[in-house]
């Protein structure tokens, strides 16, 4: 296991479309293990592979009881709407006001290649959408209404 460096928004890796994972091998497992450790260290909710410089379609989300590993994920269903504060480990110190679906269902493969579906609401739905956007080179700053003000940040 190892902690990897989290790239910030100036890095070109964060603005590229990631390739699908084809090999469900030790290298992928090491990446997922390292990403989990990196996420815990950074005290974040979710992390996408391009944030650690790997241009593959891999995302992890802390859903509370476990770290959900999503390989080659797609959004299959969304409903409702939520507007709230959103941050990103690659955009340190800032938060934006972002509208996302209130519920989201993703279809993905696990670390061994088995397909499954996972559903989330509120923060988890927001996180699914945010992390999947990373795989297409999209940061929340490109889809937000605006950055939160200093006063609004103090209320978070
Ligand atoms: Ni992010």
């Amino acid at each position: 296991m190892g902690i990897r460096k989290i790239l910030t928004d100036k890095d070109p890796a964060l603005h590229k479309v990631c390739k699908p994972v084809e090999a469900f091998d030790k290298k992928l497992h090491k990446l997922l293990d390292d990403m989990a450790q990196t996420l815990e260290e950074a005290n974040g909710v979710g992390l996408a592979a391009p944030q650690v410089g790997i241009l593959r379609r891999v995302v992890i989300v802390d859903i509370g009881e476990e770290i959900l590993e999503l390989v080659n994920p797609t959004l299959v269903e969304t409903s409702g709407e939520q507007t709230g504060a959103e941050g990103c480990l690659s955009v340190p110190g800032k938060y934006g006001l972002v509208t996302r679906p209130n519920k989201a269902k993703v279809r993905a493969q696990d670390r061994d290649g088995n397909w499954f579906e996972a559903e989330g609401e509120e923060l988890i739905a927001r996180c699914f959408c945010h992390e999947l956007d990373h795989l297409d080179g999209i940061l929340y700053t490109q889809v937000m209404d605006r950055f939160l003000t200093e006063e609004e940040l103090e209320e978070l």
Side-chain angles (χ1 to χ4, degrees):
M1 298 254 283
I3 290 172
R4 302 207 185 186
K5 184 176 185 283
I6 297 177
L7 305 176
T8 54
D9 56 351
K10 287 178 291 294
D11 198 290
L14 287 170
H15 304 280
K16 298 208 166 111
V17 176
C18 297
K19 290 183 179 154
V21 170
E22 283 157 8
F24 294 82
D25 55 7
K26 272 189 190 161
K27 203 175 158 192
L28 174 67
H29 296 178
K30 171 88 165 76
L31 171 65
L32 284 161
D33 291 342
D34 286 358
M35 283 173 66
Q37 204 180 353
T38 305
L39 181 65
E40 192 186 354
E41 168 83 7
N43 207 13
V45 186
L47 190 67
Q51 292 183 274
V52 294
I54 306 294
L55 296 176
R56 291 284 176 176
R57 305 191 78 83
V58 176
V59 151
I60 59 169
V61 177
D62 185 348
I63 56 167
E65 62 270 29
E66 61 169 322
I67 302 287
L68 191 61
E69 298 177 343
L70 304 171
V71 180
N72 297 328
T74 53
L75 215 47
V76 290
E77 212 177 295
T78 60
S79 65
E81 203 178 88
Q82 56 174 320
T83 300
E86 189 167 315
C88 178
L89 294 173
S90 294
V91 189
K94 290 185 176 178
Y95 288 87
L97 194 63
V98 189
T99 301
R100 300 283 192 186
N102 197 48
K103 284 188 186 179
K105 188 195 279 186
V106 293
R107 179 174 149 78
Q109 284 167 285
D110 67 16
R111 60 167 59 203
D112 298 312
N114 304 302
W115 287 97
F116 67 99
E117 288 188 341
E119 277 184 283
E121 285 185 32
E122 297 172 1
L123 178 63
I124 304 302
R126 175 177 292 283
C127 197
F128 283 166
C129 297
H130 175 114
E131 299 309 331
L132 266 64
D133 271 356
H134 271 301
L135 304 181
D136 292 320
I138 298 165
L139 297 179
Y140 82 83
T141 49
Q142 293 165 257
V143 297
M144 69 178 180
D145 301 329
R146 58 175 174 83
F147 278 118
L148 294 190
T149 62
E150 294 288 324
E151 290 77 21
E152 288 170 320
L153 280 177
E154 280 169 25
E155 284 165 23
L156 276 189

Short mmCIF file of all heavy atoms in Angstrom, two decimals, residues 68 74-80 82 100-107 117-130 132:
data_model
loop_
_atom_site.label_atom_id
_atom_site.label_comp_id
_atom_site.label_asym_id
_atom_site.label_seq_id
_atom_site.Cartn_x
_atom_site.Cartn_y
_atom_site.Cartn_z
N LEU A 68 -16.44 1.94 -1.59
CA LEU A 68 -16.99 1.32 -2.80
C LEU A 68 -16.01 1.52 -3.95
O LEU A 68 -15.59 2.64 -4.23
CB LEU A 68 -18.34 1.97 -3.11
CG LEU A 68 -19.23 1.33 -4.16
CD1 LEU A 68 -19.63 -0.09 -3.76
CD2 LEU A 68 -20.48 2.17 -4.36
N THR A 74 -20.67 3.61 -15.12
CA THR A 74 -21.54 4.50 -15.89
C THR A 74 -22.75 4.83 -15.03
O THR A 74 -23.17 4.03 -14.18
CB THR A 74 -22.05 3.88 -17.21
OG1 THR A 74 -22.65 2.61 -16.92
CG2 THR A 74 -20.92 3.68 -18.21
N LEU A 75 -23.30 6.00 -15.27
CA LEU A 75 -24.52 6.43 -14.58
C LEU A 75 -25.69 5.82 -15.35
O LEU A 75 -25.83 6.08 -16.55
CB LEU A 75 -24.55 7.95 -14.65
CG LEU A 75 -25.10 8.78 -13.50
CD1 LEU A 75 -24.57 8.33 -12.17
CD2 LEU A 75 -24.76 10.24 -13.77
N VAL A 76 -26.50 5.00 -14.70
CA VAL A 76 -27.60 4.36 -15.43
C VAL A 76 -28.96 4.98 -15.13
O VAL A 76 -29.90 4.83 -15.91
CB VAL A 76 -27.67 2.83 -15.20
CG1 VAL A 76 -26.49 2.15 -15.88
CG2 VAL A 76 -27.73 2.46 -13.74
N GLU A 77 -29.08 5.67 -13.99
CA GLU A 77 -30.36 6.26 -13.64
C GLU A 77 -30.13 7.40 -12.65
O GLU A 77 -29.32 7.27 -11.74
CB GLU A 77 -31.21 5.18 -12.94
CG GLU A 77 -32.70 5.30 -13.16
CD GLU A 77 -33.42 4.14 -12.47
OE1 GLU A 77 -33.20 2.98 -12.89
OE2 GLU A 77 -34.15 4.40 -11.51
N THR A 78 -30.84 8.50 -12.87
CA THR A 78 -30.78 9.59 -11.90
C THR A 78 -32.18 10.12 -11.69
O THR A 78 -33.04 9.98 -12.56
CB THR A 78 -29.90 10.77 -12.39
OG1 THR A 78 -30.44 11.28 -13.61
CG2 THR A 78 -28.46 10.36 -12.59
N SER A 79 -32.42 10.71 -10.51
CA SER A 79 -33.71 11.37 -10.28
C SER A 79 -33.54 12.48 -9.26
O SER A 79 -32.62 12.48 -8.45
CB SER A 79 -34.76 10.36 -9.80
OG SER A 79 -34.39 9.84 -8.54
N GLY A 80 -34.48 13.41 -9.31
CA GLY A 80 -34.48 14.52 -8.36
C GLY A 80 -33.33 15.48 -8.61
O GLY A 80 -32.60 15.38 -9.59
N GLN A 82 -30.52 18.30 -6.30
CA GLN A 82 -30.02 18.91 -5.07
C GLN A 82 -29.03 19.99 -5.47
O GLN A 82 -28.27 19.83 -6.42
CB GLN A 82 -29.34 17.86 -4.18
CG GLN A 82 -28.21 17.10 -4.85
CD GLN A 82 -27.46 16.18 -3.89
OE1 GLN A 82 -27.21 16.53 -2.74
NE2 GLN A 82 -27.11 14.99 -4.37
N ARG A 100 -26.88 18.82 -8.60
CA ARG A 100 -26.69 17.41 -9.01
C ARG A 100 -28.01 16.67 -8.83
O ARG A 100 -28.90 17.14 -8.10
CB ARG A 100 -25.65 16.74 -8.10
CG ARG A 100 -24.27 17.35 -8.11
CD ARG A 100 -23.48 16.98 -9.33
NE ARG A 100 -22.07 17.33 -9.19
CZ ARG A 100 -21.19 17.21 -10.19
NH1 ARG A 100 -21.57 16.72 -11.37
NH2 ARG A 100 -19.94 17.56 -10.01
N PRO A 101 -28.14 15.48 -9.41
CA PRO A 101 -29.32 14.66 -9.10
C PRO A 101 -29.33 14.29 -7.61
O PRO A 101 -28.26 14.15 -7.00
CB PRO A 101 -29.11 13.39 -9.95
CG PRO A 101 -28.09 13.76 -10.96
CD PRO A 101 -27.24 14.84 -10.36
N ASN A 102 -30.51 14.12 -7.05
CA ASN A 102 -30.58 13.74 -5.63
C ASN A 102 -30.37 12.24 -5.43
O ASN A 102 -29.95 11.79 -4.37
CB ASN A 102 -31.91 14.16 -5.03
CG ASN A 102 -31.87 14.16 -3.52
OD1 ASN A 102 -30.94 14.70 -2.93
ND2 ASN A 102 -32.84 13.52 -2.89
N LYS A 103 -30.69 11.46 -6.48
CA LYS A 103 -30.45 10.02 -6.44
C LYS A 103 -29.71 9.62 -7.70
O LYS A 103 -30.00 10.15 -8.78
CB LYS A 103 -31.77 9.24 -6.39
CG LYS A 103 -32.46 9.25 -5.05
CD LYS A 103 -33.64 8.29 -5.10
CE LYS A 103 -34.45 8.39 -3.81
NZ LYS A 103 -35.63 7.49 -3.85
N ALA A 104 -28.80 8.68 -7.56
CA ALA A 104 -28.06 8.22 -8.74
C ALA A 104 -27.77 6.73 -8.61
O ALA A 104 -27.45 6.23 -7.52
CB ALA A 104 -26.76 9.00 -8.89
N LYS A 105 -27.93 6.04 -9.74
CA LYS A 105 -27.59 4.62 -9.77
C LYS A 105 -26.45 4.43 -10.76
O LYS A 105 -26.51 4.94 -11.88
CB LYS A 105 -28.81 3.79 -10.20
CG LYS A 105 -28.59 2.28 -10.07
CD LYS A 105 -29.64 1.48 -10.82
CE LYS A 105 -30.93 1.36 -10.03
NZ LYS A 105 -31.90 0.46 -10.72
N VAL A 106 -25.40 3.72 -10.32
CA VAL A 106 -24.28 3.45 -11.21
C VAL A 106 -24.16 1.95 -11.48
O VAL A 106 -24.54 1.12 -10.64
CB VAL A 106 -22.93 3.97 -10.63
CG1 VAL A 106 -22.91 5.47 -10.58
CG2 VAL A 106 -22.66 3.38 -9.27
N ARG A 107 -23.65 1.63 -12.66
CA ARG A 107 -23.31 0.26 -13.00
C ARG A 107 -21.80 0.25 -13.18
O ARG A 107 -21.23 1.14 -13.83
CB ARG A 107 -24.03 -0.14 -14.28
CG ARG A 107 -23.75 -1.54 -14.78
CD ARG A 107 -24.66 -1.85 -15.98
NE ARG A 107 -24.04 -2.75 -16.92
CZ ARG A 107 -23.94 -4.06 -16.75
NH1 ARG A 107 -24.45 -4.64 -15.67
NH2 ARG A 107 -23.35 -4.82 -17.65
N GLU A 117 -24.52 -3.13 -9.60
CA GLU A 117 -25.11 -1.79 -9.56
C GLU A 117 -25.10 -1.28 -8.13
O GLU A 117 -25.19 -2.07 -7.18
CB GLU A 117 -26.55 -1.82 -10.09
CG GLU A 117 -26.60 -2.02 -11.60
CD GLU A 117 -28.01 -1.87 -12.18
OE1 GLU A 117 -29.01 -1.96 -11.42
OE2 GLU A 117 -28.11 -1.67 -13.40
N ALA A 118 -24.97 0.03 -7.99
CA ALA A 118 -25.02 0.64 -6.65
C ALA A 118 -25.84 1.93 -6.75
O ALA A 118 -25.74 2.66 -7.73
CB ALA A 118 -23.61 0.95 -6.17
N GLU A 119 -26.63 2.16 -5.71
CA GLU A 119 -27.47 3.36 -5.68
C GLU A 119 -27.03 4.26 -4.53
O GLU A 119 -26.61 3.76 -3.48
CB GLU A 119 -28.93 2.98 -5.43
CG GLU A 119 -29.66 2.55 -6.68
CD GLU A 119 -31.13 2.27 -6.37
OE1 GLU A 119 -31.42 1.19 -5.81
OE2 GLU A 119 -31.96 3.14 -6.68
N GLY A 120 -27.18 5.55 -4.74
CA GLY A 120 -26.86 6.48 -3.66
C GLY A 120 -27.81 7.66 -3.67
O GLY A 120 -28.40 7.99 -4.70
N GLU A 121 -27.94 8.28 -2.49
CA GLU A 121 -28.77 9.47 -2.34
C GLU A 121 -27.92 10.59 -1.76
O GLU A 121 -26.91 10.34 -1.09
CB GLU A 121 -29.91 9.22 -1.35
CG GLU A 121 -31.03 8.37 -1.90
CD GLU A 121 -32.18 8.25 -0.89
OE1 GLU A 121 -32.40 9.21 -0.11
OE2 GLU A 121 -32.81 7.21 -0.88
N GLU A 122 -28.38 11.81 -1.98
CA GLU A 122 -27.77 13.00 -1.38
C GLU A 122 -26.25 13.03 -1.58
O GLU A 122 -25.79 13.03 -2.71
CB GLU A 122 -28.19 13.12 0.09
CG GLU A 122 -29.70 13.32 0.15
CD GLU A 122 -30.32 13.27 1.54
OE1 GLU A 122 -29.60 13.10 2.52
OE2 GLU A 122 -31.55 13.42 1.61
N LEU A 123 -25.45 13.01 -0.48
CA LEU A 123 -24.00 13.16 -0.62
C LEU A 123 -23.40 12.06 -1.52
O LEU A 123 -22.50 12.33 -2.33
CB LEU A 123 -23.32 13.14 0.76
CG LEU A 123 -21.79 13.23 0.72
CD1 LEU A 123 -21.31 14.55 0.12
CD2 LEU A 123 -21.20 13.05 2.11
N ILE A 124 -23.91 10.84 -1.39
CA ILE A 124 -23.35 9.73 -2.19
C ILE A 124 -23.68 9.92 -3.68
O ILE A 124 -22.82 9.70 -4.54
CB ILE A 124 -23.87 8.36 -1.68
CG1 ILE A 124 -23.57 8.18 -0.19
CG2 ILE A 124 -23.27 7.22 -2.50
CD1 ILE A 124 -22.12 8.26 0.21
N ALA A 125 -24.92 10.35 -3.96
CA ALA A 125 -25.30 10.62 -5.36
C ALA A 125 -24.44 11.75 -5.93
O ALA A 125 -23.96 11.67 -7.06
CB ALA A 125 -26.79 10.99 -5.43
N ARG A 126 -24.24 12.79 -5.12
CA ARG A 126 -23.38 13.91 -5.53
C ARG A 126 -21.97 13.41 -5.84
O ARG A 126 -21.35 13.78 -6.84
CB ARG A 126 -23.35 14.95 -4.40
CG ARG A 126 -22.41 16.12 -4.65
CD ARG A 126 -22.48 17.15 -3.53
NE ARG A 126 -23.76 17.84 -3.48
CZ ARG A 126 -24.14 18.82 -4.30
NH1 ARG A 126 -23.33 19.23 -5.26
NH2 ARG A 126 -25.33 19.38 -4.18
N CYS A 127 -21.48 12.55 -4.97
CA CYS A 127 -20.13 12.02 -5.12
C CYS A 127 -20.01 11.14 -6.37
O CYS A 127 -19.02 11.24 -7.12
CB CYS A 127 -19.76 11.25 -3.86
SG CYS A 127 -18.01 10.98 -3.71
N PHE A 128 -21.00 10.28 -6.61
CA PHE A 128 -20.98 9.45 -7.83
C PHE A 128 -20.84 10.35 -9.06
O PHE A 128 -20.00 10.11 -9.92
CB PHE A 128 -22.29 8.64 -7.98
CG PHE A 128 -22.40 7.42 -7.08
CD1 PHE A 128 -23.63 6.80 -6.91
CD2 PHE A 128 -21.30 6.90 -6.43
CE1 PHE A 128 -23.76 5.68 -6.10
CE2 PHE A 128 -21.42 5.77 -5.60
CZ PHE A 128 -22.65 5.16 -5.44
N CYS A 129 -21.67 11.39 -9.13
CA CYS A 129 -21.67 12.27 -10.31
C CYS A 129 -20.34 13.01 -10.44
O CYS A 129 -19.76 13.08 -11.52
CB CYS A 129 -22.82 13.26 -10.23
SG CYS A 129 -24.44 12.45 -10.26
N HIS A 130 -19.84 13.52 -9.31
CA HIS A 130 -18.58 14.26 -9.29
C HIS A 130 -17.41 13.38 -9.74
O HIS A 130 -16.62 13.77 -10.60
CB HIS A 130 -18.36 14.78 -7.86
CG HIS A 130 -17.06 15.47 -7.63
ND1 HIS A 130 -16.98 16.81 -7.32
CD2 HIS A 130 -15.78 15.01 -7.65
CE1 HIS A 130 -15.70 17.14 -7.17
NE2 HIS A 130 -14.95 16.07 -7.36
N LEU A 132 -17.49 10.45 -11.40
CA LEU A 132 -17.62 9.98 -12.79
C LEU A 132 -17.26 11.09 -13.78
O LEU A 132 -16.64 10.82 -14.81
CB LEU A 132 -19.03 9.42 -13.07
CG LEU A 132 -19.14 7.89 -12.88
CD1 LEU A 132 -18.89 7.46 -11.46
CD2 LEU A 132 -20.46 7.37 -13.39
#
